[in-house]
Amino acid sequence: MEELISTGVARYEYRHFIIFGSASQFAAMATECAGDQGAWWEFHDAYLLKAQARTFTRAGAIELARDEGLNVAQFTQCVDNEEHHDRILQMQQQAIADGVSGTPTFRINGQPGARSLSGIIEQVHAAAEAAQNEEGS
């Protein structure tokens, strides 16, 4: 995948998709608030991959923000004011409109992609080949 992305054949996009109700929505909000301080991926990885359930609470998110070296007052204000609510809701609505039903979801030229990495790579190569053939016509 890194090769496909680095050559411009593919791109990686992350969008929030609320699967577990308010816990997922809160996780998305906290991640976006961390992103305001330039720590989106660091917080995302710690929050969603390492910390799991303990941080799906306000107190846990604040603790993690402190652990990640964020400005806790700024983070807390952002979370409490739900500053990214509309953006997260827009992502959710767009995902539903695009036919997303779970994560991860892969799309190739706007169409649903395979679920396996090998299938995705195969589809991306086929799409790139088709694009080259169109350019050569």
Side-chain angles (χ1 to χ4, degrees):
M1 286 304 278
E2 287 178 26
E3 178 185 331
L4 295 172
I5 292 169
S6 70
T7 60
V9 172
R11 78 170 182 231
Y12 179 82
E13 251 180 55
Y14 185 97
R15 297 181 189 179
H16 297 291
F17 186 65
I18 309 305
I19 298 173
F20 301 115
S22 61
S24 290
Q25 188 165 348
F26 187 79
M29 183 74 63
T31 302
E32 290 297 324
C33 290
D36 290 346
Q37 297 184 47
W40 198 100
W41 279 112
E42 295 82 358
F43 194 87
H44 167 273
D45 290 350
Y47 195 79
L48 297 176
L49 302 178
K50 295 177 189 169
Q52 297 175 8
R54 83 172 172 102
T55 56
F56 282 98
T57 66
R58 180 181 181 275
I62 292 169
E63 179 185 334
L64 187 56
R66 186 175 295 110
D67 291 349
E68 292 295 312
L70 300 180
N71 177 318
V72 174
Q74 180 183 339
F75 176 85
T76 303
Q77 181 178 354
C78 178
V79 169
D80 288 349
N81 292 338
E82 297 185 346
E83 292 179 15
H84 297 283
H85 177 268
D86 291 346
R87 182 165 177 253
I88 292 164
L89 182 61
Q90 249 181 344
M91 284 184 201
Q92 180 73 8
Q93 290 170 339
Q94 185 62 55
I96 292 167
D98 289 344
V100 173
S101 60
T103 62
T105 297
F106 300 93
R107 298 179 65 77
I108 315 292
N109 289 337
Q111 300 303 311
R115 300 298 282 175
S116 70
L117 182 56
S118 62
I120 292 165
I121 292 171
E122 196 174 296
Q123 283 181 297
V124 168
H125 283 300
E129 187 176 313
Q132 284 179 337
N133 289 339
E134 283 182 22
E135 288 176 11
S137 300

